Amino acid sequence: MFWTVTLSLLAGMGQLLKLFFLTLLFSLPLGLLIAFALRSRCKPVSWLFNVIVWIIRGTPLMLQLIIIFYGPGKWFDNNIWGLFSDGRMAACVVAFVINYACYFAVIYKGGIEGVPIGQSEAGQVLGMTKGQIFFKVTLLQMVKRIVPPMSNEIITLVKDTSLAFAIGVGEMFSTAKALVASQVSMVPFAIAALIYWVFNFVVEMLLGAAEKKLDYYHD
């Protein structure tokens, strides 16, 4: 029974990995763009994005999933997710990307503002452009500062992928839930918990290695 359940759960692991990596692929750069908007000198822009981030961070991800997947069909009588071969996964990725981009944006913003202003001023004295100052001075120091909080969010992402069951995405937790119902046993949940833990452990080790790699910079 143990191996049969484990193999079934590992089959659902593919959707988990797909959601995990697609979320990071799109939310990391989007979060940086939102961070720029949060710091914009144009007040309407910074105000708008601060409100968006405030709403996204203040509401449950599961609720956002349900609204994004079911909302278009209810409001416009047009289920846009039907245009995709796997509409449920597409909606799930969109919801996760928006959610995590907002969290990453706040981390980016804090990292950028944590770099001493003297660094930018020194770059200006040397005749560097704003772009050169950001990519060659600010960004390098910001990355070192944001790795620990980013690591926490990425580890949380691994666990949050289980929320995809809310809109019927057949990832590992959904598989475990179905197996528990059919076998009247909690064993599938226990095995799923172990797999999540192992995955988190691997992610944590990789992020820890990245943090040590970036230890070239000291305040």
Side-chain angles (χ1 to χ4, degrees), residues 8-10 39 54 64 71 89 94 102 112 152 192 199 208 213:
S8 298
L9 292 175
L10 289 177
R39 302 182 71 248
W54 176 66
Q64 295 165 22
M89 175 55 77
V94 169
C102 288
I112 293 171
N152 291 335
F199 187 24
K213 196 80 172 178

Side-chain angles (χ1 to χ4, degrees), residues 113-133:
E113 294 175 349
V115 177
I117 189 66
Q119 302 282 348
S120 299
E121 293 173 346
Q124 291 174 351
V125 170
L126 293 172
M128 298 173 70
T129 64
K130 288 185 177 180
Q132 289 175 325
I133 291 172

Side-chain angles (χ1 to χ4, degrees), residues 185-208:
S185 168
M186 296 296 288
V187 171
F189 278 156
I191 298 174
L194 178 61
I195 294 173
Y196 277 117
W197 181 85
V198 171
F199 187 24
N200 252 332
F201 178 75
V202 172
V203 170
E204 191 172 351
M205 292 293 290
L206 292 173
L207 292 171

Side-chain angles (χ1 to χ4, degrees), residues 65-178:
L65 274 167
I66 293 170
I67 291 173
I68 287 175
F69 181 67
Y70 294 107
K74 294 288 184 181
W75 300 326
F76 311 114
D77 293 323
N78 180 23
N79 183 11
I80 60 173
W81 306 114
L83 300 174
F84 298 88
S85 58
D86 189 352
R88 293 179 187 275
M89 175 55 77
C92 201
V93 170
V94 169
F96 270 71
V97 167
I98 293 173
N99 182 277
Y100 273 86
C102 288
Y103 279 94
F104 290 153
V106 174
I107 295 172
Y108 282 134
K109 180 174 178 286
I112 293 171
E113 294 175 349
V115 177
I117 189 66
Q119 302 282 348
S120 299
E121 293 173 346
Q124 291 174 351
V125 170
L126 293 172
M128 298 173 70
T129 64
K130 288 185 177 180
Q132 289 175 325
I133 291 172
F134 178 76
F135 287 105
K136 295 184 178 181
V137 180
T138 305
L139 184 62
L140 294 177
Q141 297 183 44
M142 179 195 74
V143 170
K144 172 65 174 68
R145 286 177 165 83
I146 67 174
V147 168
M150 278 290 193
S151 299
N152 291 335
E153 290 299 329
I154 293 172
I155 289 171
T156 299
L157 171 59
V158 175
K159 294 176 282 187
D160 276 352
T161 56
S162 63
L163 296 176
F165 85 94
I167 59 173
V169 175
E171 45 71 63
M172 189 171 66
F173 180 75
S174 301
T175 304
K177 190 178 177 186

